[in-house]
Amino acid sequence: MKDWDRLITVEEMEAATASLLENGKKVGADSWQQRVKNQTPHCGFGEAGTCCRICSMGPCRITPKSPRGICGCDVHGIVGRNFLRFTVGGTASHSDHGREIMHTLYETKENGNYTIKDPEKLIRIAKEWEMETEGKDIYELAHEVAVKGLMEYGKPFGTQLFAKRAPEHTQQLWENAGITPRAIDREVAEAMHMTHMGCSSLPEALVHQALRAGLSDGWGGSMMGTEFSDVLFGTPKPIDTTANLGVMEKDMVNIVVHGHDPSLSEMVVHYANDPEMIALAKSLGAKGINVCGVCCTANEVAMRHGIPMAGNFLSQENVVLTGACEAIVVDIQCIFPALGPLSKCFHTKFITTSHIARMPDSEFIEFSAESAAENAKAIVKTAVENFKNRTPELVNIPDIKANARVGYSVEAIVKVLDGVANSQVDTFGTTKPLLECVTSGVLRGAVAMVGCNNPKIRPDYAHIELMKKFLKNDIIVIVSGCSAQAAAKAGLMDPVLAKEYCGAGLKRVCELAGIPPVLHMGSCVDISRMLILAAELSKDSGIPISQLPVLGCAPEWMSEKAVSIGNYVVATGLDTFLGVDPYVKGSSEMGEWLTGENGIKKWVEANYTVETDIEKMGDLMIERIEAKRAALGI
Ligand code: XCC
Ligand code: SF4
């Protein structure tokens, strides 16, 4: 047993943060904790979604005395437009990440910077897209598939190719409601158009487009991001790693990768293993090079290479505060601009690499697929050379670290659960063993927990406490994004120790399959993996997705991307529980559309529940799972 073989509590993590903030004080560092104080109380109009600045006659704010904006728009129109814009901010970001991956796929070549690691998957998708694969060189095929995928963003006619992966019933619901997603860019542009001054102010129309745009993300941009990341970098398989701040190494060069696009982090990981770079590190007095991750980039490299995960969204400042971070290398999304000034307080190099995410006080080393090797080498070298600039008195690495088994792609889940529920060999390659666990009651159901941290919620507490509650009730938890890292940091992905939290049924499944009770499915674009899993469960059982005892939940979400995700998860038929209100509480009509019985539920058989009391949310979710079971008679 290693000294870190233990479970970590939220209190321990909080104590670690407190000690790091003390470290920051010594050098005059700012912190998000302080900025939250400066920003509180938040603007009430913004919080309720009742402020409009879509045209320059405003900004208009809705109060009992001024119930309409200058153009006459009422509160429901304003809240609805804000909600739709919030959604497509996320749709655009996720999907653009997917687009970058498609460009990387286009750049692949034999012995190039990027190659094809999962050719079978590429061929499988090409066939699914009805492309000719026979007799083609794999790189020729990759090139053609990349072009076809990129067309999904702007094709003038038709709907998303991957939408056909949904069960018939779901596709029919989408068809009936008119929300089958068309070209991704079109859904985003149309949403911006609809919310332009003097266009849509009818909640029904705005919510309708929010669902369709969301679906173009989940079953379009994000799904391409996931599937072709697998093609490029390998489809994840279970792999052991460690998580929490203790993964940083006192005697090594620490390079933290942060952001989302694995095209960058894969290369950094590769060059950190380069003998020349390791020799350089040793010549400068370090024992080697340690790459660790933050946010979704961490998920990507953990799942494919077992790179340790230093933390999630609200721990990004913590990695710099350790005083042991030689470089924090970022690409896109969820990067605090605060990292610029913060790294100036230490020796840390803050390296930005994408024209999409330029920030003050950073060193910009532009990264592109054509020059990826050169760029990555320059980045690693900069970090290594910075080791000598450390201030030893400022090094403070909290001694907290947990084991985590990660890498549960749908392919991996199907494989590991095969045979667990006494099923026969003929079920190989299906989700039937998992279904058997659920119908027999050994497992009561599943919860897909996703999303960020948000200072409005005690960081990681909601994720971890909810997970423990579900495990105790024999509900298996699948996770992605920063929710996944919350679990990993606490030890909930330790296949040995996490069993202690499980009910008897779940414990047995974990033991038989050798899995942790919380399954790491990846980054946020990888929520598309959850869609595929839900679709497969539905197809294999003949039960519509909305009737399966499976729920979605984002207790600590904060980003626009999370709202886009919420829309596609709900639109796929999964009831979704949010711990933070998406700025819609100012409109009763929007509330009804999203959370009521007569709104989106009529279209997609699922809706949202917003519940900021986390204990209550957990109870509601368990009740909902049991109600779905009862309705199925299982
Ligand atoms: Fe970002 Fe993906 Fe949220 Fe984490 S979970 S804070 S979106 S890194 Ni996506
Ligand atoms: Fe005000 Fe209407 Fe302009 Fe919005 S669109 S700022 S409500 S006048």
Side-chain angles (χ1 to χ4, degrees):
M1 196 183 221
K2 307 213 174 61
D3 56 351
W4 68 82
D5 271 354
R6 62 191 185 94
L7 298 162
I8 309 278
T9 63
V10 174
E11 287 72 20
E12 277 178 271
M13 296 188 216
E14 287 169 343
T17 299
S19 117
L20 289 171
L21 289 172
E22 283 306 312
N23 214 28
K25 265 194 201 149
K26 293 182 203 155
V27 290
D30 189 17
S31 66
W32 64 260
Q33 289 84 348
Q34 182 55 45
R35 294 190 299 275
V36 167
K37 284 189 192 134
N38 301 348
Q39 285 291 342
T40 311
H42 295 282
C43 165
F45 295 96
E47 270 200 321
T50 55
C51 167
C52 181
R53 48 180 292 283
I54 274 169
C55 89
S56 77
M57 293 192 285
C60 299
R61 305 187 303 182
I62 302 302
T63 66
K65 220 180 79 218
S66 57
R68 285 179 188 269
I70 290 171
C71 64
C73 190
D74 67 11
V75 74
H76 311 297
I78 290 177
V79 172
R81 291 195 302 218
N82 287 337
F83 180 75
L84 179 52
R85 286 206 165 186
F86 208 45
T87 301
V88 297
T91 308
S93 308
H94 267 153
S95 298
D96 209 36
H97 165 172
R99 177 174 1 227
E100 289 291 320
I101 295 290
M102 299 314 284
H103 279 287
T104 305
L105 181 67
Y106 188 83
E107 292 294 330
T108 53
K109 53 175 176 272
E110 186 104 56
N111 303 319
N113 286 334
Y114 295 99
T115 55
I116 303 295
K117 297 261 166 60
D118 192 340
E120 286 80 32
K121 191 158 188 169
L122 178 67
I123 293 167
R124 182 153 42 94
I125 298 170
K127 288 195 171 138
E128 183 187 339
W129 284 0
E130 296 173 355
M131 299 172 74
E132 188 52 69
T133 58
E134 283 313 310
K136 252 178 216 163
D137 170 70
I138 197 75
Y139 289 97
E140 185 188 352
L141 185 63
H143 193 277
E144 285 172 18
V145 169
V147 171
K148 189 157 174 116
L150 285 164
M151 288 303 176
E152 290 297 282
Y153 286 82
K155 63 184 182 187
F157 306 108
T159 49
Q160 286 298 301
L161 292 170
F162 278 149
K164 297 198 182 67
R165 290 179 163 187
E168 283 294 332
H169 177 76
T170 311
Q171 292 191 49
Q172 198 55 54
L173 290 175
W174 293 345
E175 213 40 53
N176 296 346
I179 54 171
T180 311
R182 302 162 298 174
I184 301 154
D185 290 350
R186 180 174 187 188
E187 300 305 359
V188 174
E190 189 162 303
M192 294 307 283
H193 185 182
M194 286 176 74
T195 51
H196 186 273
M197 191 274 150
C199 289
S200 287
S201 50
L202 192 66
E204 174 174 355
L206 296 161
V207 169
H208 180 268
Q209 182 58 17
L211 295 186
R212 181 159 56 175
L215 286 172
S216 78
D217 172 359
W219 294 88
S222 274
M223 201 169 278
M224 281 193 272
T226 296
E227 294 291 70
F228 294 105
S229 291
D230 286 358
V231 167
L232 282 162
F233 309 117
T235 302
K237 298 192 215 40
I239 185 169
D240 287 336
T241 185
T242 49
N244 221 323
L245 286 163
V247 305
M248 297 187 66
E249 297 282 351
K250 191 164 173 271
D251 303 320
M252 291 173 97
V253 172
N254 289 299
I255 303 180
V256 177
V257 285
H258 173 14
H260 285 79
D261 184 346
S263 307
L264 168 73
S265 45
E266 284 280 328
M267 283 290 171
V268 172
V269 169
H270 181 79
Y271 282 99
N273 283 317
D274 188 289
E276 192 192 319
M277 289 296 156
I278 295 173
L280 178 64
K282 287 190 173 155
S283 75
L284 293 168
K287 283 201 177 135
I289 305 173
N290 177 41
V291 181
C292 46
V294 165
C295 278
C296 280
T297 278
N299 292 320
E300 298 276 3
V301 286
M303 287 213 300
R304 296 198 179 90
H305 304 285
I307 296 291
M309 301 184 275
N312 47 356
F313 184 60
L314 282 181
S315 18
Q316 59 183 290
E317 292 182 1
N318 284 358
V319 297
V320 178
L321 288 168
T322 60
C325 174
E326 273 55 59
I328 181 158
V329 186
V330 305
D331 50 63
I332 48 162
Q333 303 170 10
C334 304
I335 299 143
F336 271 5
L339 293 178
L342 178 62
S343 42
K344 291 253 165 319
C345 297
F346 292 88
H347 74 303
T348 306
K349 298 261 187 206
F350 176 41
I351 303 176
T352 49
T353 60
S354 166
H355 69 279
I356 308 261
R358 300 286 315 267
M359 293 187 195
D361 298 315
S362 73
E363 198 165 310
F364 184 54
I365 303 183
E366 190 164 17
F367 194 83
S368 72
E370 307 88 75
S371 54
E374 222 176 283
N375 304 146
K377 217 168 171 177
I379 289 167
V380 173
K381 191 156 182 256
T382 305
V384 171
E385 284 169 347
N386 196 27
F387 182 74
K388 60 181 185 300
N389 298 323
R390 252 195 214 182
T391 311
E393 310 82 69
L394 284 176
V395 173
N396 172 11
I397 301 174
D399 187 22
I400 46 174
K401 172 153 92 168
N403 289 322
R405 185 164 296 165
V406 302
Y408 291 95
S409 55
V410 177
E411 290 87 336
I413 292 180
V414 166
K415 200 158 173 213
V416 296
L417 284 173
D418 190 45
V420 168
N422 311 319
S423 51
Q424 303 306 315
V425 216
D426 66 346
T427 59
F428 182 78
T430 79
T431 60
K432 282 187 182 147
L434 181 56
L435 280 163
E436 262 174 64
C437 294
V438 175
T439 46
S440 66
V442 177
L443 297 181
R444 305 304 292 172
V447 165
M449 200 183 297
V450 305
C452 328
N453 298 127
N454 185 324
K456 287 181 178 158
I457 309 274
R458 186 175 165 191
D460 295 335
Y461 185 80
H463 287 303
I464 293 167
E465 290 311 306
L466 276 172
M467 285 181 208
K468 286 197 212 159
K469 191 172 185 136
F470 296 140
L471 302 187
K472 201 169 120 211
N473 284 280
D474 290 321
I475 295 166
I476 194 163
V477 181
I478 55 176
V479 290
S480 75
C482 289
S483 177
Q485 287 156 357
K489 290 197 297 181
L492 296 179
M493 290 175 179
D494 183 320
V496 179
L497 298 181
K499 279 188 297 201
E500 140 179 342
Y501 294 119
C502 301
L506 179 56
K507 190 169 174 188
R508 217 178 87 218
V509 172
C510 290
E511 277 169 355
L512 284 170
I515 54 170
V518 177
L519 296 179
H520 188 298
M521 290 193 81
S523 65
C524 291
V525 293
D526 292 343
I527 294 169
S528 60
R529 297 188 200 276
M530 298 176 176
L531 299 181
I532 295 171
L533 183 60
E536 290 306 306
L537 287 168
S538 170
K539 289 180 200 167
D540 287 343
S541 64
I543 301 168
I545 292 178
S546 60
Q547 292 174 29
L548 293 168
V550 179
L551 303 175
C553 149
E556 305 185 24
W557 75 273
M558 64 84 205
S559 78
E560 290 173 320
K561 290 180 290 168
V563 182
S564 184
I565 293 167
N567 280 305
Y568 70 66
V569 171
V570 169
T572 298
L574 295 165
D575 285 335
T576 298
F577 292 71
L578 304 177
V580 180
D581 173 60
Y583 299 143
V584 295
K585 64 170 186 242
S587 160
S588 56
E589 286 185 21
M590 280 297 291
E592 181 57 30
W593 269 103
L594 299 175
T595 65
E597 291 299 312
N598 294 309
I600 54 175
K601 192 161 179 184
K602 288 192 301 189
W603 293 335
V604 295
E605 303 176 339
N607 66 5
Y608 287 104
T609 300
V610 181
E611 180 52 68
T612 51
D613 179 334
I614 293 304
E615 189 64 30
K616 210 163 141 201
M617 182 198 275
D619 293 337
L620 282 175
M621 289 177 70
I622 292 170
E623 250 170 59
R624 187 76 57 89
I625 283 178
E626 291 303 328
K628 285 187 193 273
R629 293 188 66 92
L632 286 172
I634 56 173

